[in-house]
Amino acid sequence: MTNKLWHERAAVLEMDGRAFINGQRVNAISGATFECISPIDGRKLADVARCDSGDVDAAVTAARAAFEDRRWAAKSPAERKRIMGKFADLILAHADELALLETLDMGKPIKYSLSVDVPAVARCIRWYGEAIDKVYDEIAPTPDSTLALITREPVGVVAAIVPWNYPMIMAAWKIAPSLVVGNSVILKPSEKSPLTALRLADIALEAGIPPGVFNVIPGYGREAGSALGLHMDIDCIGFTGSTAIGKQITQYAGQSNLKRVWTELGGKSPNIVFADCPDLDAAVRAAIDNIFFNQGESCNAPSRLYVEASVKDAFMEKALALMPSYQPGDPLDPATTMGAIVDRIQLNSVLGFIESGKAEGANVLTGGNQARLETGGCYVEPTIFDHVNAGMKIAREEIFGPVLSVFSFTEVDEVIREANATAYGLHAGVWTVDIRKAHYVSRALRVGTVHVNQYGDDDITVPFGGYKQSGNGRDKSLHAFDKYTELKTIWIKIT
Ligand code: NAD
Protein backbone atom coordinates (compact mmCIF):
# COMPACT_ATOMS: atom_id res chain seq x y z
CA MET A 1 0.00 0.00 0.00
CA THR A 2 1.24 3.50 -0.73
CA ASN A 3 1.72 6.42 1.59
CA LYS A 4 -1.49 8.00 0.23
CA LEU A 5 -3.56 4.84 0.74
CA TRP A 6 -2.41 4.45 4.34
CA HIS A 7 -3.40 8.07 5.02
CA GLU A 8 -6.80 7.46 3.43
CA ARG A 9 -7.35 4.36 5.56
CA ALA A 10 -6.20 6.21 8.68
CA ALA A 11 -8.76 8.96 8.03
CA VAL A 12 -11.68 6.48 8.18
CA LEU A 13 -10.36 3.93 10.68
CA GLU A 14 -12.80 3.30 13.51
CA MET A 15 -11.26 3.38 16.96
CA ASP A 16 -13.11 2.18 20.03
CA GLY A 17 -11.54 3.31 23.30
CA ARG A 18 -13.95 1.51 25.64
CA ALA A 19 -12.63 -1.07 28.10
CA PHE A 20 -13.22 -4.80 27.55
CA ILE A 21 -14.64 -6.59 30.58
CA ASN A 22 -16.43 -9.93 30.71
CA GLY A 23 -16.62 -10.16 26.93
CA GLN A 24 -18.11 -6.70 26.41
CA ARG A 25 -16.99 -3.23 25.48
CA VAL A 26 -17.85 -0.89 28.37
CA ASN A 27 -17.22 2.69 29.42
CA ALA A 28 -15.36 3.36 32.64
CA ILE A 29 -17.84 3.20 35.54
CA SER A 30 -17.04 6.83 36.33
CA GLY A 31 -17.64 7.78 32.69
CA ALA A 32 -14.17 9.36 32.61
CA THR A 33 -12.03 9.25 29.48
CA PHE A 34 -8.60 10.42 28.40
CA GLU A 35 -7.50 11.58 24.98
CA CYS A 36 -5.41 9.28 22.84
CA ILE A 37 -3.16 11.52 20.75
CA SER A 38 -1.12 10.41 17.73
CA PRO A 39 2.57 11.37 17.95
CA ILE A 40 2.66 11.42 14.14
CA ASP A 41 0.94 14.81 13.91
CA GLY A 42 -0.63 15.55 17.30
CA ARG A 43 -4.16 14.69 16.21
CA LYS A 44 -6.66 13.12 18.59
CA LEU A 45 -7.41 9.50 17.73
CA ALA A 46 -10.01 8.53 20.32
CA ASP A 47 -11.41 9.11 23.78
CA VAL A 48 -10.33 6.14 25.86
CA ALA A 49 -11.96 4.79 29.03
CA ARG A 50 -10.04 6.09 32.03
CA CYS A 51 -10.41 3.02 34.22
CA ASP A 52 -9.78 3.18 37.95
CA SER A 53 -10.17 0.90 40.95
CA GLY A 54 -13.91 0.42 40.35
CA ASP A 55 -13.30 -0.92 36.85
CA VAL A 56 -10.43 -3.05 38.10
CA ASP A 57 -12.77 -4.59 40.70
CA ALA A 58 -15.29 -5.38 37.94
CA ALA A 59 -12.59 -6.96 35.77
CA VAL A 60 -11.24 -9.01 38.68
CA THR A 61 -14.74 -10.22 39.58
CA ALA A 62 -15.31 -11.34 35.98
CA ALA A 63 -11.86 -12.93 35.73
CA ARG A 64 -12.23 -14.74 39.06
CA ALA A 65 -15.67 -16.10 38.15
CA ALA A 66 -14.30 -17.38 34.83
CA PHE A 67 -11.40 -19.03 36.61
CA GLU A 68 -13.54 -20.63 39.31
CA ASP A 69 -16.10 -22.16 36.95
CA ARG A 70 -13.25 -23.41 34.73
CA ARG A 71 -14.99 -22.31 31.52
CA TRP A 72 -11.54 -22.03 29.95
CA ALA A 73 -9.16 -24.09 32.11
CA ALA A 74 -11.37 -27.19 31.83
CA LYS A 75 -11.13 -27.20 28.05
CA SER A 76 -8.69 -29.85 26.88
CA PRO A 77 -5.21 -28.66 25.96
CA ALA A 78 -6.00 -29.61 22.35
CA GLU A 79 -9.09 -27.38 22.39
CA ARG A 80 -7.19 -24.45 23.92
CA LYS A 81 -4.58 -24.98 21.22
CA ARG A 82 -7.24 -24.83 18.52
CA ILE A 83 -8.68 -21.58 19.87
CA MET A 84 -5.24 -19.98 20.21
CA GLY A 85 -4.56 -20.99 16.61
CA LYS A 86 -7.77 -19.30 15.50
CA PHE A 87 -6.79 -16.22 17.55
CA ALA A 88 -3.48 -16.11 15.63
CA ASP A 89 -5.26 -16.59 12.28
CA LEU A 90 -7.66 -13.73 13.02
CA ILE A 91 -4.79 -11.45 14.01
CA LEU A 92 -3.23 -12.08 10.61
CA ALA A 93 -6.59 -11.51 8.94
CA HIS A 94 -6.70 -8.08 10.65
CA ALA A 95 -3.02 -7.35 9.97
CA ASP A 96 -3.50 -4.07 8.10
CA GLU A 97 -5.91 -2.67 10.67
CA LEU A 98 -3.76 -3.67 13.68
CA ALA A 99 -0.57 -2.37 12.05
CA LEU A 100 -2.22 0.94 11.22
CA LEU A 101 -3.61 1.34 14.74
CA GLU A 102 -0.19 0.59 16.24
CA THR A 103 1.53 3.11 13.98
CA LEU A 104 -1.03 5.85 14.57
CA ASP A 105 -1.02 5.29 18.31
CA MET A 106 2.71 5.08 19.07
CA GLY A 107 4.45 6.40 15.97
CA LYS A 108 6.49 3.46 14.68
CA PRO A 109 6.86 3.10 10.89
CA ILE A 110 4.03 1.19 9.20
CA LYS A 111 6.69 -0.85 7.44
CA TYR A 112 7.66 -2.42 10.78
CA SER A 113 4.19 -2.61 12.35
CA LEU A 114 3.26 -4.77 9.36
CA SER A 115 6.43 -6.81 8.90
CA VAL A 116 7.58 -7.16 12.54
CA ASP A 117 4.89 -6.47 15.14
CA VAL A 118 1.79 -8.15 13.72
CA PRO A 119 3.57 -11.36 12.58
CA ALA A 120 5.45 -11.59 15.91
CA VAL A 121 2.20 -11.36 17.85
CA ALA A 122 0.50 -14.04 15.73
CA ARG A 123 3.55 -16.29 16.00
CA CYS A 124 3.72 -15.87 19.78
CA ILE A 125 0.06 -16.77 20.24
CA ARG A 126 0.26 -19.72 17.87
CA TRP A 127 3.53 -20.98 19.39
CA TYR A 128 2.16 -21.12 22.94
CA GLY A 129 -1.03 -22.69 21.62
CA GLU A 130 1.03 -25.34 19.86
CA ALA A 131 3.13 -25.96 22.97
CA ILE A 132 0.33 -26.59 25.41
CA ASP A 133 -0.56 -30.14 24.35
CA LYS A 134 3.11 -31.14 24.21
CA VAL A 135 4.33 -30.18 27.68
CA TYR A 136 4.22 -33.04 30.20
CA ASP A 137 4.26 -32.98 33.99
CA GLU A 138 6.59 -35.13 36.12
CA ILE A 139 6.62 -38.23 38.28
CA ALA A 140 9.30 -38.10 40.97
CA PRO A 141 11.76 -41.01 41.51
CA THR A 142 10.21 -42.10 44.83
CA PRO A 143 10.11 -45.63 46.35
CA ASP A 144 7.67 -48.20 44.87
CA SER A 145 5.29 -47.69 47.77
CA THR A 146 4.37 -44.18 46.71
CA LEU A 147 3.75 -42.10 43.66
CA ALA A 148 4.64 -38.40 43.73
CA LEU A 149 3.07 -36.44 40.88
CA ILE A 150 4.53 -33.01 40.23
CA THR A 151 1.97 -31.04 38.29
CA ARG A 152 1.53 -27.50 37.05
CA GLU A 153 -1.67 -25.63 37.70
CA PRO A 154 -2.71 -22.18 36.50
CA VAL A 155 -1.95 -19.54 39.12
CA GLY A 156 -5.46 -18.00 38.83
CA VAL A 157 -6.08 -14.36 37.92
CA VAL A 158 -3.10 -12.76 36.18
CA ALA A 159 -2.68 -9.04 35.60
CA ALA A 160 -0.41 -8.05 32.73
CA ILE A 161 0.85 -4.46 32.81
CA VAL A 162 2.75 -3.46 29.69
CA PRO A 163 4.57 -0.48 28.14
CA TRP A 164 4.08 1.38 24.88
CA ASN A 165 7.18 0.60 22.82
CA TYR A 166 5.88 -2.66 21.30
CA PRO A 167 2.31 -2.48 22.61
CA MET A 168 1.00 -5.65 20.97
CA ILE A 169 4.18 -7.72 21.24
CA MET A 170 4.65 -6.95 24.94
CA ALA A 171 1.00 -7.86 25.52
CA ALA A 172 1.33 -11.10 23.54
CA TRP A 173 4.44 -12.19 25.48
CA LYS A 174 2.31 -12.05 28.66
CA ILE A 175 -1.15 -13.08 27.54
CA ALA A 176 -0.20 -16.06 25.35
CA PRO A 177 1.60 -18.17 27.99
CA SER A 178 -0.68 -17.08 30.83
CA LEU A 179 -3.92 -17.72 28.92
CA VAL A 180 -2.94 -21.01 27.39
CA VAL A 181 -2.24 -22.69 30.75
CA GLY A 182 -5.77 -21.84 31.90
CA ASN A 183 -5.52 -18.53 33.76
CA SER A 184 -7.88 -15.59 33.51
CA VAL A 185 -6.04 -12.45 32.41
CA ILE A 186 -6.49 -8.70 32.84
CA LEU A 187 -4.30 -6.67 30.50
CA LYS A 188 -3.48 -3.04 31.23
CA PRO A 189 -1.90 -1.37 28.21
CA SER A 190 0.06 1.84 28.56
CA GLU A 191 -2.05 5.01 28.52
CA LYS A 192 0.21 6.06 25.63
CA SER A 193 -0.81 3.14 23.38
CA PRO A 194 -4.09 1.48 24.41
CA LEU A 195 -5.80 0.90 21.04
CA THR A 196 -4.37 -2.37 19.73
CA ALA A 197 -4.73 -4.13 23.11
CA LEU A 198 -8.45 -3.39 23.02
CA ARG A 199 -8.77 -4.75 19.47
CA LEU A 200 -6.90 -7.90 20.51
CA ALA A 201 -9.60 -8.51 23.11
CA ASP A 202 -12.38 -8.25 20.48
CA ILE A 203 -10.45 -10.69 18.29
CA ALA A 204 -9.81 -13.13 21.15
CA LEU A 205 -13.54 -13.28 21.86
CA GLU A 206 -14.27 -13.93 18.19
CA ALA A 207 -11.68 -16.74 18.26
CA GLY A 208 -13.54 -18.46 21.09
CA ILE A 209 -11.81 -17.35 24.28
CA PRO A 210 -14.78 -17.24 26.66
CA PRO A 211 -16.04 -13.97 28.21
CA GLY A 212 -14.27 -13.05 31.45
CA VAL A 213 -11.12 -14.97 30.57
CA PHE A 214 -9.39 -12.07 28.84
CA ASN A 215 -10.14 -8.49 29.93
CA VAL A 216 -8.50 -5.20 28.97
CA ILE A 217 -8.46 -2.17 31.26
CA PRO A 218 -7.05 1.00 29.73
CA GLY A 219 -6.07 3.80 32.09
CA TYR A 220 -3.27 5.58 33.87
CA GLY A 221 -0.63 3.71 35.82
CA ARG A 222 -1.29 5.61 39.03
CA GLU A 223 -5.01 4.74 38.82
CA ALA A 224 -5.75 1.47 36.99
CA GLY A 225 -2.17 0.17 37.34
CA SER A 226 -1.83 0.72 41.07
CA ALA A 227 -5.34 -0.73 41.66
CA LEU A 228 -4.18 -3.93 39.94
CA GLY A 229 -0.93 -3.95 41.90
CA LEU A 230 -2.70 -3.57 45.24
CA HIS A 231 -5.68 -5.84 44.52
CA MET A 232 -6.25 -8.63 47.05
CA ASP A 233 -7.73 -11.06 44.52
CA ILE A 234 -5.09 -10.98 41.78
CA ASP A 235 -2.67 -13.90 42.02
CA CYS A 236 0.14 -12.78 39.77
CA ILE A 237 1.42 -9.71 37.94
CA GLY A 238 3.49 -9.88 34.80
CA PHE A 239 4.97 -6.39 34.51
CA THR A 240 7.04 -4.90 31.70
CA GLY A 241 8.10 -1.29 32.06
CA SER A 242 10.60 0.98 33.75
CA THR A 243 12.76 -0.08 36.66
CA ALA A 244 11.26 2.68 38.84
CA ILE A 245 7.70 1.39 38.38
CA GLY A 246 8.90 -2.22 38.63
CA LYS A 247 10.10 -1.41 42.16
CA GLN A 248 6.70 0.07 42.96
CA ILE A 249 4.86 -3.00 41.65
CA THR A 250 7.03 -5.19 43.85
CA GLN A 251 6.09 -3.05 46.86
CA TYR A 252 2.38 -3.26 46.03
CA ALA A 253 2.63 -7.03 46.29
CA GLY A 254 4.15 -6.73 49.76
CA GLN A 255 1.46 -4.25 50.80
CA SER A 256 -1.37 -6.50 49.59
CA ASN A 257 -1.55 -10.26 49.11
CA LEU A 258 2.03 -11.18 48.13
CA LYS A 259 0.88 -11.85 44.59
CA ARG A 260 3.65 -13.27 42.43
CA VAL A 261 5.45 -10.43 40.67
CA TRP A 262 7.50 -10.88 37.51
CA THR A 263 9.35 -7.87 36.22
CA GLU A 264 10.89 -7.18 32.80
CA LEU A 265 12.49 -3.75 33.13
CA GLY A 266 14.88 -1.24 31.61
CA GLY A 267 18.28 -1.61 30.01
CA LYS A 268 21.50 0.18 29.10
CA SER A 269 23.03 -2.53 26.99
CA PRO A 270 26.74 -2.58 26.06
CA ASN A 271 27.88 -3.61 22.58
CA ILE A 272 31.61 -4.48 22.53
CA VAL A 273 33.51 -4.48 19.23
CA PHE A 274 37.03 -5.92 19.34
CA ALA A 275 39.60 -5.09 16.69
CA ASP A 276 39.49 -8.73 15.53
CA CYS A 277 35.78 -8.46 14.78
CA PRO A 278 35.05 -10.81 11.84
CA ASP A 279 33.23 -8.24 9.71
CA LEU A 280 33.46 -4.58 10.65
CA ASP A 281 30.74 -3.56 8.16
CA ALA A 282 28.32 -6.05 9.69
CA ALA A 283 29.20 -4.83 13.19
CA VAL A 284 28.60 -1.21 12.18
CA ARG A 285 25.27 -1.99 10.56
CA ALA A 286 24.09 -4.04 13.54
CA ALA A 287 25.14 -1.35 16.03
CA ILE A 288 23.31 1.38 14.12
CA ASP A 289 20.26 -0.72 13.20
CA ASN A 290 19.68 -1.86 16.74
CA ILE A 291 20.07 1.48 18.52
CA PHE A 292 17.88 3.34 16.03
CA PHE A 293 15.26 0.66 15.31
CA ASN A 294 11.87 1.59 16.81
CA GLN A 295 13.17 5.18 17.34
CA GLY A 296 15.58 3.82 19.97
CA GLU A 297 12.59 2.85 22.10
CA SER A 298 13.73 -0.73 22.72
CA CYS A 299 14.64 -2.05 26.16
CA ASN A 300 17.52 -4.10 24.69
CA ALA A 301 18.86 -1.34 22.39
CA PRO A 302 22.69 -1.36 22.44
CA SER A 303 22.93 2.21 23.73
CA ARG A 304 26.55 1.95 24.95
CA LEU A 305 28.97 1.14 22.14
CA TYR A 306 32.53 0.13 23.12
CA VAL A 307 34.94 0.02 20.17
CA GLU A 308 38.57 -1.11 20.55
CA ALA A 309 40.71 1.99 20.07
CA SER A 310 42.64 0.72 17.03
CA VAL A 311 39.47 0.36 14.89
CA LYS A 312 37.36 3.13 16.35
CA ASP A 313 37.99 5.78 13.69
CA ALA A 314 37.26 3.33 10.87
CA PHE A 315 34.14 2.15 12.69
CA MET A 316 32.75 5.64 13.23
CA GLU A 317 33.44 6.68 9.65
CA LYS A 318 31.36 3.75 8.39
CA ALA A 319 28.64 4.46 10.99
CA LEU A 320 28.27 8.09 9.94
CA ALA A 321 28.03 7.05 6.29
CA LEU A 322 24.92 5.02 7.15
CA MET A 323 23.08 7.84 8.89
CA PRO A 324 21.19 9.31 5.90
CA SER A 325 19.06 6.15 5.73
CA TYR A 326 18.03 6.42 9.40
CA GLN A 327 16.39 9.87 9.38
CA PRO A 328 12.83 10.25 10.71
CA GLY A 329 10.03 10.44 8.17
CA ASP A 330 6.26 10.05 7.86
CA PRO A 331 5.44 6.80 9.72
CA LEU A 332 2.64 6.07 7.23
CA ASP A 333 5.09 6.12 4.32
CA PRO A 334 6.16 2.50 3.70
CA ALA A 335 9.69 3.74 2.89
CA THR A 336 10.18 5.33 6.34
CA THR A 337 12.54 3.52 8.72
CA MET A 338 12.36 5.88 11.71
CA GLY A 339 9.05 7.19 12.97
CA ALA A 340 7.81 9.41 15.79
CA ILE A 341 8.68 9.31 19.50
CA VAL A 342 5.63 8.07 21.41
CA ASP A 343 4.52 11.40 22.91
CA ARG A 344 5.58 14.87 23.93
CA ILE A 345 6.64 13.77 27.43
CA GLN A 346 9.03 11.18 26.02
CA LEU A 347 10.18 13.61 23.32
CA ASN A 348 11.10 16.19 25.96
CA SER A 349 12.83 13.56 28.05
CA VAL A 350 14.99 12.44 25.09
CA LEU A 351 15.81 16.06 24.18
CA GLY A 352 16.73 16.67 27.85
CA PHE A 353 19.22 13.78 27.74
CA ILE A 354 20.72 15.18 24.54
CA GLU A 355 21.13 18.58 26.18
CA SER A 356 22.75 16.99 29.24
CA GLY A 357 25.22 15.16 27.00
CA LYS A 358 26.18 18.40 25.33
CA ALA A 359 26.42 20.24 28.66
CA GLU A 360 28.61 17.54 30.21
CA GLY A 361 31.09 17.79 27.33
CA ALA A 362 30.28 14.85 25.08
CA ASN A 363 30.75 15.48 21.37
CA VAL A 364 27.74 15.28 19.02
CA LEU A 365 28.91 13.37 15.95
CA THR A 366 25.51 13.49 14.27
CA GLY A 367 21.95 14.58 15.11
CA GLY A 368 21.17 16.24 18.41
CA ASN A 369 17.99 18.08 17.44
CA GLN A 370 14.25 17.79 17.24
CA ALA A 371 13.03 17.08 13.69
CA ARG A 372 9.94 17.52 11.50
CA LEU A 373 8.55 20.29 13.70
CA GLU A 374 6.20 21.39 10.92
CA THR A 375 4.19 18.15 11.32
CA GLY A 376 3.04 18.90 14.88
CA GLY A 377 4.40 15.44 15.78
CA CYS A 378 7.25 14.20 17.98
CA TYR A 379 10.47 13.48 16.09
CA VAL A 380 14.16 13.43 17.03
CA GLU A 381 17.22 13.13 14.82
CA PRO A 382 19.18 9.94 15.46
CA THR A 383 22.04 11.13 17.61
CA ILE A 384 25.55 9.78 18.23
CA PHE A 385 27.74 11.09 21.05
CA ASP A 386 31.49 10.51 21.08
CA HIS A 387 33.95 11.31 23.91
CA VAL A 388 31.46 10.06 26.47
CA ASN A 389 32.76 9.17 29.90
CA ALA A 390 31.22 6.71 32.31
CA GLY A 391 30.10 9.38 34.80
CA MET A 392 27.90 11.27 32.35
CA LYS A 393 24.12 11.01 32.64
CA ILE A 394 23.86 9.78 29.02
CA ALA A 395 26.25 6.95 29.89
CA ARG A 396 24.43 5.87 33.05
CA GLU A 397 20.69 6.29 32.53
CA GLU A 398 18.31 4.63 30.11
CA ILE A 399 17.33 7.27 27.51
CA PHE A 400 14.82 5.16 25.56
CA GLY A 401 15.28 7.20 22.43
CA PRO A 402 17.56 7.34 19.36
CA VAL A 403 20.76 8.26 21.19
CA LEU A 404 24.02 6.29 21.08
CA SER A 405 27.02 6.84 23.40
CA VAL A 406 30.40 5.73 22.06
CA PHE A 407 33.42 4.74 24.18
CA SER A 408 36.81 3.28 23.29
CA PHE A 409 38.92 0.71 25.16
CA THR A 410 42.17 -1.21 24.90
CA GLU A 411 41.97 -4.08 27.45
CA VAL A 412 39.51 -7.00 27.63
CA ASP A 413 39.07 -6.91 31.41
CA GLU A 414 38.74 -3.13 31.38
CA VAL A 415 35.83 -3.25 28.92
CA ILE A 416 34.11 -6.06 30.84
CA ARG A 417 34.33 -3.96 34.01
CA GLU A 418 32.89 -0.90 32.27
CA ALA A 419 30.16 -2.88 30.52
CA ASN A 420 29.07 -4.34 33.85
CA ALA A 421 29.24 -0.99 35.70
CA THR A 422 25.50 -0.33 35.44
CA ALA A 423 22.40 -1.08 37.45
CA TYR A 424 20.95 -2.85 34.41
CA GLY A 425 21.68 -6.27 32.94
CA LEU A 426 19.50 -6.95 29.92
CA HIS A 427 21.48 -7.61 26.71
CA ALA A 428 25.03 -7.23 25.41
CA GLY A 429 26.94 -7.67 22.15
CA VAL A 430 30.44 -9.08 21.64
CA TRP A 431 32.26 -8.99 18.28
CA THR A 432 35.44 -11.07 17.84
CA VAL A 433 36.72 -14.01 15.77
CA ASP A 434 38.42 -15.43 18.87
CA ILE A 435 36.02 -18.05 20.28
CA ARG A 436 37.86 -18.13 23.62
CA LYS A 437 37.58 -14.38 24.02
CA ALA A 438 33.92 -14.43 22.92
CA HIS A 439 33.15 -17.07 25.53
CA TYR A 440 35.22 -15.44 28.29
CA VAL A 441 33.49 -12.08 27.78
CA SER A 442 30.01 -13.61 27.37
CA ARG A 443 30.35 -15.43 30.68
CA ALA A 444 31.66 -12.36 32.47
CA LEU A 445 28.81 -10.10 31.37
CA ARG A 446 25.99 -9.91 33.94
CA VAL A 447 23.13 -9.85 31.42
CA GLY A 448 20.26 -12.08 30.34
CA THR A 449 21.27 -12.33 26.67
CA VAL A 450 24.63 -12.00 24.90
CA HIS A 451 24.78 -11.62 21.11
CA VAL A 452 28.05 -12.83 19.59
CA ASN A 453 28.98 -11.50 16.14
CA GLN A 454 25.41 -10.24 15.64
CA TYR A 455 23.00 -8.13 17.63
CA GLY A 456 19.27 -8.40 17.99
CA ASP A 457 18.53 -11.95 16.83
CA ASP A 458 15.34 -12.91 18.55
CA ASP A 459 12.80 -15.69 18.52
CA ILE A 460 9.84 -16.84 20.57
CA THR A 461 11.83 -20.02 21.37
CA VAL A 462 14.36 -18.24 23.61
CA PRO A 463 13.87 -16.52 26.97
CA PHE A 464 14.02 -12.72 27.14
CA GLY A 465 14.78 -10.94 30.40
CA GLY A 466 17.44 -9.47 32.57
CA TYR A 467 19.82 -9.62 35.51
CA LYS A 468 20.06 -7.03 38.27
CA GLN A 469 17.63 -4.09 37.96
CA SER A 470 16.52 -5.20 34.50
CA GLY A 471 14.09 -7.44 36.37
CA ASN A 472 13.58 -11.02 37.46
CA GLY A 473 11.22 -12.46 34.83
CA ARG A 474 11.73 -14.22 31.54
CA ASP A 475 9.24 -13.67 28.75
CA LYS A 476 9.02 -16.07 25.79
CA SER A 477 10.08 -19.72 25.47
CA LEU A 478 8.72 -22.57 27.62
CA HIS A 479 10.33 -20.87 30.65
CA ALA A 480 7.50 -18.30 30.62
CA PHE A 481 5.18 -21.06 31.87
CA ASP A 482 7.09 -20.96 35.18
CA LYS A 483 5.69 -17.48 35.81
CA TYR A 484 2.04 -18.29 35.28
CA THR A 485 1.75 -21.70 36.93
CA GLU A 486 2.01 -23.09 40.45
CA LEU A 487 3.87 -26.35 41.04
CA LYS A 488 1.82 -28.86 42.97
CA THR A 489 2.98 -32.19 44.36
CA ILE A 490 0.46 -34.98 44.94
CA TRP A 491 1.70 -37.93 47.05
CA ILE A 492 -0.24 -41.16 46.47
CA LYS A 493 0.27 -44.23 48.68
CA ILE A 494 0.40 -47.28 46.42
CA THR A 495 1.17 -50.18 48.78
P1 NAD B 1 6.45 2.66 32.72
O1 NAD B 1 7.10 1.92 33.84
O2 NAD B 1 6.27 4.13 32.85
O3 NAD B 1 5.00 2.06 32.43
C1 NAD B 1 4.79 0.70 32.18
C2 NAD B 1 3.35 0.34 32.52
O4 NAD B 1 3.18 0.53 33.92
C3 NAD B 1 2.30 1.22 31.84
O5 NAD B 1 1.17 0.44 31.51
C4 NAD B 1 1.95 2.23 32.93
O6 NAD B 1 0.66 2.76 32.81
C5 NAD B 1 2.06 1.36 34.16
N1 NAD B 1 2.29 2.12 35.40
C6 NAD B 1 2.88 3.34 35.54
N2 NAD B 1 2.87 3.70 36.83
C7 NAD B 1 2.28 2.70 37.52
C8 NAD B 1 1.98 2.50 38.89
N3 NAD B 1 2.28 3.41 39.82
N4 NAD B 1 1.38 1.34 39.25
C9 NAD B 1 1.07 0.39 38.32
N5 NAD B 1 1.31 0.54 37.00
C10 NAD B 1 1.92 1.68 36.61
O7 NAD B 1 7.29 2.29 31.41
P2 NAD B 1 7.05 2.78 29.93
O8 NAD B 1 7.54 4.18 29.79
O9 NAD B 1 5.67 2.47 29.51
O10 NAD B 1 8.01 1.78 29.13
C11 NAD B 1 9.37 1.98 28.97
C12 NAD B 1 10.16 1.07 29.88
O11 NAD B 1 9.83 -0.30 29.64
C13 NAD B 1 11.64 1.18 29.61
O12 NAD B 1 12.32 1.24 30.84
C14 NAD B 1 11.96 -0.12 28.89
O13 NAD B 1 13.30 -0.53 28.99
C15 NAD B 1 11.03 -1.06 29.55
N6 NAD B 1 10.82 -2.26 28.73
C16 NAD B 1 11.36 -3.43 29.16
C17 NAD B 1 11.22 -4.58 28.41
C18 NAD B 1 11.80 -5.90 28.86
O14 NAD B 1 11.40 -6.94 28.32
N7 NAD B 1 12.73 -5.92 29.80
C19 NAD B 1 10.51 -4.53 27.21
C20 NAD B 1 9.97 -3.31 26.80
C21 NAD B 1 10.12 -2.18 27.58
Side-chain angles (χ1 to χ4, degrees), residues 91 110 138 189 194 244 281 365 375 432 438 467:
I91 286 168
I110 190 74
E138 301 162 31
D281 288 313
L365 281 183
T375 61
T432 172
Y467 284 24

Side-chain angles (χ1 to χ4, degrees), residues 162-164 188 191 225 239-242 245 252 264-266 299 398:
V162 296
W164 46 262
K188 197 205 86 62
E191 55 273 34
F239 175 80
T240 299
S242 62
I245 302 297
Y252 293 152
E264 276 91 19
L265 310 176
C299 54
E398 184 184 41

Side-chain angles (χ1 to χ4, degrees), residues 367-391:
N369 300 298
Q370 197 173 341
R372 292 171 55 80
L373 275 97
E374 71 288 356
T375 61
C378 307
Y379 301 85
V380 178
E381 293 172 349
T383 300
I384 302 181
F385 278 108
D386 200 359
H387 301 304
V388 182
N389 71 51

Side-chain angles (χ1 to χ4, degrees), residues 160-166 170 173-174 188-192 219-229 239-246 248-249 252 263-267 297-300 342 346 398 400 424 426 464-466 470-471 473 475:
I161 302 181
V162 296
W164 46 262
N165 58 333
Y166 296 91
M170 293 300 105
W173 287 4
K174 311 275 185 224
K188 197 205 86 62
S190 169
E191 55 273 34
K192 298 175 196 252
Y220 290 108
R222 62 182 181 276
E223 295 172 355
S226 63
L228 289 167
F239 175 80
T240 299
S242 62
T243 294
I245 302 297
Q248 222 162 337
I249 299 278
Y252 293 152
T263 52
E264 276 91 19
L265 310 176
E297 297 162 334
S298 298
C299 54
N300 60 340
V342 69
Q346 186 65 12
E398 184 184 41
F400 221 54
Y424 298 109
L426 201 50
F464 188 105
S470 288
D475 277 328

